[in-house]
Structure formats: structure tokens, C-alpha cells
Amino acid sequence: MSRRPKDLTPQELRFEPQKPVRWLSPRTLLDTSMRFGLARVFGGYVDKREIIGGRPQETFAHTETGELWLDYVADVGDGFNATYSIAHLLAQDHVEVPDGKGGTLHLPRGSVLVMGGDEVYPAGDWLEYERRMKGPYEAANPGNPVALYAIPGNHDWFDGLTAFARQFTEGRTIGGYRTFQKRSYFALELPHRWWLFAVDAQFDTHLDQNQIEYFRKAAERMRPGDQVILCVPQPSWLWTEEDPRSFDRIDHFIRDVVAARGARVPLILTGDRHHYAHYAEVDGSRHLVTAGGGGAYLSPTHTLPDDLTAPKRSIPEPDARERQYRLTQTYPSKAKSLSYALGIFGRLPWLNKGFVALMSVVSLIATVSILEGTGTFVAVAAVLLAAGVAFAHPGEGSRTARHYMLGGVHGAAQVALAWAGAQVIRSLPNVEFWTYLAYLPVAGLVGTWLVGLYLVVANRLGVNANELFAGMSVIDQKCFLRIRIDASGATVYPIGLDRAGRHWKADPQGGETDSWIKPAEPLRPRLIEPGFAAQHPGPRRDQLPRQSAVRRLVAQAGDWFNLRL
């Protein structure tokens, strides 16, 4: 029997609860940039999947009962409050949520937990896994037996998958959670001819041959009409407009591995974006669900397209069968997401003081360089323009004219700010050391606000999709999926948590399987949308409202004003 902690000190908990990652702090920016660059460069030469792909791994059967409950969570290992809030809900015997009809639904804990990627932040590292994922999940579920499976996301790949492999592929336990997989991908056989396939696409690259052969072998046991839930690391369907090939890998896998056996894929799950978004196929029955609300900072929903096509015909795939999808639900709502976005001007400097300090130094150097003369003015302007363009990265896909234009405007705005500061200093009768010292915090704060303004505009135009919300570290609006598999099929219950816990207390007298830590105030989960059948038909084309982009923007603005009122 594991010793229960008497209080919330790290010595009693046996791990140190962490604050949310400050993504725009200079140290984090430098560290993650270096890790990401090294992982991308060397990952192409040393692919850890090829190394662990030689390990024998079966298809894991969970067919003992006529009804199976399965939980899905992604993007989990960030700050303690948000991560543990979801871990605590997952670990309870059941979750009670209003059914929308005046009653209450009792949704029992899943006997299987699938983690859909990015199990740790800011980068794969054994210590971060211990403090940000393993510690909270062990404290939430110290003894109830649950089978745990996981696929890596891009942050798990930052160390070449080393820490992920040690945590999930060596038969380790995390409290009541037991790992079984030997590779970074897996196949589950579920009751009533349902399956779950979870793939590892590294940094959204190819699927290695060992992985393809593993899933083909698992598919040999399928019969025509079987149903497959497919778990992927990223919502690549969002990028087909700018990169028509982004969904090809998933489409090829479905056609070559699943459809070749006469089976269907009615449900595709992913994380990577830290929100809930449900796209339903128009005149079809496939559902694309993003549920990355396991603990990482909130991602925006107000920039999501209302309609998309995946796969999309391209030069290498001129005959691809295009499927159209309509966005049916988001969490948070688009209006709520927009209201969060406008909070950047307060949250960015308050939560990222190191970034303010960095902007103070940059502004001071730029201002002094302008005061020195034309030569240094031109040099600093060139540097700031180049920095602005470099900062305007696409995230996914390649740079377009939009990125260069927005980055250039941002860089020019920073040059103008430095020039204005130089004119103010030049107009002063006496300029001393204390003048520059007083100038530092003012210039840093205004420069940070200018970055915030750029991020609001750029995010709306599809540039710097992550940085706006990463700088605010919103820990609320979290979510996970609870899925029931029975004779009627698969039913998905998306569970949202509007407000993560902030205050906690130890439970030293609890039972052996009770959570070590309890919320001081009850967590209040709710259904994001009513539970839906994975095979439920999507909207019909002739029933879809026709609405122009301008009308959608006006409607969204109206929702935002109503929300504020």
C-alpha cells in the first residue's frame, strides 16, 4: 500500500507541482527553439521508431465485456492546476454532468485511458515527465486499475522520444495506470467489432515501415463492416486549404490499411490544439474531433474555419475523394475565445515579465543606436525588420506573402517605437544614466503591448496561431472525451471544465484507491455538447445555411458583445 501524503509539500507528494510554462520567457523561447531545431535535424537521421519498431507488440484486446468505457485526453503535462483538474476528474469512479433536460448523467470511469500526444511540456525530459505528468496522475489515481496507452506529440519528440519511450514502453505503472505498449503506436481491439488505431507521425512526417506493417497485421483480424477509431497527433485537416497534401498521410493510411479490409473510420481523434472542435462530414458520417484540453494553455477557436475539405485534390493526388466538413461545436465558443484574445494586453506583460525585460533591452539598444546616427539607425532598422519577419512563422506549412507582410509591418512598428523614444530623449534638456534607466520599463511595456497588438491581428489572419494564447497561459476551459462502446456502437461524451481548480487539500485518511489530493471547491464538469454516436450522419448539404464571411464575422462580433454584457 502506497503511503498517502499528509500535506501538499513536495516531500510528501514525492513530486514538485509546477506552474504553467511561460512560453514567451526568453529562457523558454531559447530552450524550446534549440530542442525543436535539433530534433527536426537529427530526427531525420536517427528515427527512434525504427529502433523500438523491432520490439514484439500484439494487438491489445479489450473485449471481455459487452460494454466498454474508454477515456481520451491529450496535451496534459503543463501546470499543476489545470493538469490535475482533468486528472482528478478522469480518476473518479464516475463523472456527474447535467444532461440538459433537468437531470444528471453518471458517466463511469474508463477502464482504458488513451493519451493523444504532448504528454509533457515544454519538451520531452524525464524530470518534466515526473513533475508535470506522472506525479499528478499518480496522485489522482493511486490504485484503481486502468490500462494506459499513449502516442507522442511534437513536444514528446523534442528529445528524440527517449523519455517518452522510457515512460510508456517499458511496462511501468503510474499509480493505478498500467502501461502495456512496447512501441510509440498501438492497436486496440474493442467490443462489438470496434477498434482503435493510434499512430505516431513524428513531426507530422511519414509513417515508418515497421508501423505500417504492424497495423496491417492488426487489420488482418478485421471483417468487412468493422469500425475503427483513429487517433492521430495533429489536426492536419485544418491545413488543407494552404497545403492540400497535409491530410494525405491520414487518407493513405485509411485507404491502404483500414478500407482495404472493408472496415470504416467514422471517428478521428486528435489533440495538439488545446481546445475542443467537432467537424461533422457533410452528407456523410465521419467525425473529426480535436480534444486537446488536458492541461496545456488554451488555444483559440475563433480562428477555426466553419467549413473545410479533407482530403483535398492536389497535383500528386488528382483523384482524391474529397470530403466536406462543417464545424458543429467548439469549446470555448468563438465569442469566448475572442474575448480571451483581447486580454493579451494585460496577461502578456503580467505573466511574462522576462519577455518585458527582453523587450526593454531591445528597445533601449535600438533607441541608442538611432541616437548615434544614420548608419546605426539603418542597421538597427534592418535587424528589427528581419526579426519581425522571422517571428511571423506559419506554424504549419510554408511561408506566404502574408507572413512576410505582417512580419515586416510588425518590425517597422518596433522601429517606429524606437525612433519615437529617441525623439523624446533628444528633446530632454539633460540626459543622464537615470534617464535611460527610467526609459527601460516604459519602453519594455509599450514594446510588449505592440507585440500583443501584432499577435491579435496576425492570429486573426492565420499567422502565429499559437503565440497569442501561449503568451496568456489560460488554464480554464479544459476538456476530455469519455466514450462508451456497446452493442449500439460508440457514443462520444465531450466533457468540459469551465474553471480549473486553484486550491487543493491533501486527503491523508482516504481509501487506498482514493485521490491523494482533493479540490478545496468542487470541480463542475459539464457536457460540451450532447453525447453523439460516432456513426451519426453529419449535416446535409441542402440544409446548411448559406452565409458569407462578412455575415459570419458580424454574427461572431454580436455573440462577443452579448457575452460581455
Side-chain angles (χ1 to χ4, degrees):
M1 179 177 176
S2 179
R3 177 178 62 85
R4 299 182 65 83
K6 300 176 182 178
D7 53 49
L8 300 183
T9 60
Q11 293 76 17
E12 286 290 319
L13 293 175
R14 299 188 288 282
F15 74 95
E16 186 175 357
Q18 298 295 294
K19 294 181 179 179
V21 175
R22 300 307 182 202
W23 289 100
L24 293 188
S25 74
R27 179 178 178 180
T28 302
L29 285 171
L30 179 62
D31 182 61
T32 53
S33 298
M34 291 178 59
R35 286 175 178 262
F36 178 72
L38 290 172
R40 289 299 294 261
V41 170
F42 292 106
Y45 297 95
V46 183
D47 191 338
K48 189 63 66 69
R49 296 174 303 177
E50 297 178 357
I51 298 174
I52 65 177
R55 298 176 182 175
Q57 176 169 286
E58 61 184 315
T59 298
F60 303 99
H62 293 274
T63 57
E64 302 85 4
T65 61
E67 180 182 84
L68 174 77
W69 286 84
L70 179 148
D71 291 333
Y72 176 91
V73 67
D75 304 276
V76 302
D78 201 338
F80 177 80
N81 285 338
T83 298
Y84 188 77
S85 293
I86 294 298
H88 184 269
L89 290 176
L90 287 167
Q92 304 313 299
D93 291 338
H94 63 271
V95 170
E96 295 184 359
V97 292
D99 63 2
K101 303 176 183 178
T104 302
L105 284 178
H106 298 265
L107 306 177
R109 177 182 58 244
S111 59
V112 176
L113 173 61
V114 174
M115 290 187 172
D118 285 344
E119 280 75 54
V120 69
Y121 292 94
D125 176 87
W126 72 269
L127 183 58
E128 297 292 7
Y129 273 106
E130 289 282 336
R131 299 188 298 191
R132 295 185 181 272
M133 190 280 294
K134 181 177 180 294
Y137 272 78
E138 182 177 20
N141 178 17
N144 285 305
V146 175
L148 172 62
Y149 302 91
I151 56 172
N154 57 320
H155 290 270
D156 301 293
W157 267 99
F158 277 12
D159 71 338
L161 209 63
T162 299
F164 175 93
R166 289 174 179 171
Q167 187 65 64
F168 294 105
T169 69
E170 297 181 355
R172 299 175 185 268
T173 59
I174 302 174
Y177 296 106
R178 171 74 186 278
T179 61
F180 297 93
Q181 67 194 87
K182 301 300 180 183
R183 307 184 190 182
S184 56
Y185 45 87
F186 55 89
L188 308 182
E189 183 178 4
L190 308 175
H192 305 290
R193 299 173 60 189
W194 279 82
W195 303 74
L196 187 146
F197 283 6
V199 301
D200 173 13
Q202 202 191 41
F203 286 105
D204 201 32
T205 57
H206 67 289
L207 300 183
D208 59 287
Q209 190 59 34
N210 285 332
Q211 185 170 184
I212 294 295
E213 291 176 356
Y214 168 78
F215 285 111
R216 281 179 174 161
K217 184 176 180 180
E220 291 176 357
R221 299 168 57 182
M222 290 181 179
R223 292 176 288 166
D226 283 8
Q227 308 292 325
V228 178
I229 300 171
L230 179 60
C231 298
V232 297
Q234 293 182 309
S236 56
W237 48 83
L238 292 176
W239 311 315
T240 56
E241 191 62 34
E242 295 189 1
D243 180 10
R245 302 185 61 182
S246 63
F247 193 77
D248 286 357
R249 185 181 308 101
I250 297 176
D251 188 50
H252 288 170
F253 181 86
I254 294 173
R255 287 185 297 169
D256 299 342
V257 177
V258 180
R261 303 296 301 179
R264 297 178 60 254
V265 178
L267 179 63
I268 304 180
L269 305 179
T270 192
D272 189 65
R273 294 298 183 262
H274 312 152
H275 55 225
Y276 176 84
H278 178 190
Y279 285 90
E281 184 182 1
V282 177
D283 292 334
S285 57
R286 178 175 291 171
H287 300 264
L288 310 177
V289 176
T290 302
Y297 67 86
L298 185 67
S299 292
T301 59
H302 64 278
T303 56
L304 291 174
D306 289 326
D307 300 279
L308 58 82
T309 301
K312 198 174 182 68
R313 294 191 185 99
S314 60
I315 293 176
E317 296 289 341
D319 301 320
R321 181 199 167 191
E322 293 187 337
R323 295 172 183 249
Q324 281 72 45
Y325 295 87
R326 168 57 64 98
L327 182 62
T328 61
Q329 185 68 42
T330 66
Y331 182 75
S333 67
K334 288 194 172 189
K336 182 70 172 178
S337 173
L338 181 59
S339 71
Y340 276 126
L342 298 178
I344 185 70
F345 302 104
R347 295 181 68 92
L348 178 60
W350 178 255
L351 297 176
N352 299 273
K353 298 179 179 63
F355 185 77
V356 178
L358 174 64
M359 292 303 300
S360 299
V361 174
V362 169
S363 297
L364 179 62
I365 294 175
T367 300
V368 172
S369 299
I370 292 172
L371 290 171
E372 288 295 317
T374 304
T376 53
F377 185 1
V378 172
V380 76
V383 170
L384 289 177
L385 286 170
V389 172
F391 186 61
H393 66 87
E396 304 295 336
S398 57
R399 290 179 183 271
T400 64
R402 182 172 71 251
H403 297 86
Y404 290 102
M405 181 183 70
L406 286 171
V409 170
H410 179 210
Q414 295 290 352
V415 172
L417 177 63
W419 180 85
Q423 302 316 304
V424 171
I425 291 177
R426 189 173 281 148
S427 67
L428 297 176
N430 296 310
V431 178
E432 302 175 346
F433 168 78
W434 301 107
T435 304
Y436 292 106
L437 190 63
Y439 177 75
L440 268 173
V442 176
L445 182 60
V446 176
T448 301
W449 282 339
L450 191 56
V451 172
L453 177 61
Y454 159 77
L455 288 176
V456 170
V457 175
N459 180 262
R460 187 68 196 182
L461 297 175
V463 179
N464 291 102
N466 286 324
E467 284 74 13
L468 173 63
F469 275 63
M472 295 189 290
S473 299
V474 177
I475 69 170
D476 296 319
Q477 308 283 301
K478 300 307 169 206
C479 65
F480 67 95
L481 306 179
R482 184 149 284 179
I483 304 173
R484 184 185 67 210
I485 309 287
D486 60 14
S488 65
T491 305
V492 182
Y493 296 93
I495 299 174
L497 183 65
D498 294 340
R499 180 175 172 81
R502 265 73 166 177
H503 305 288
W504 309 93
K505 56 185 179 182
D507 183 21
Q509 304 302 320
E512 184 176 355
T513 60
D514 292 344
S515 299
W516 289 350
I517 305 171
K518 291 187 175 182
E521 299 178 358
L523 302 176
R524 302 189 184 281
R526 65 178 179 89
L527 287 179
I528 297 172
E529 61 177 326
F532 63 91
Q535 296 171 282
H536 182 72
R540 290 173 50 187
R541 190 180 308 277
D542 58 5
Q543 296 177 339
L544 292 177
R546 297 185 180 275
Q547 192 177 42
S548 68
V550 174
R551 288 183 177 178
R552 284 197 298 269
L553 184 61
V554 171
Q556 185 175 320
D559 290 342
W560 180 77
F561 282 115
N562 290 334
L563 184 69
R564 303 299 289 180
L565 295 176

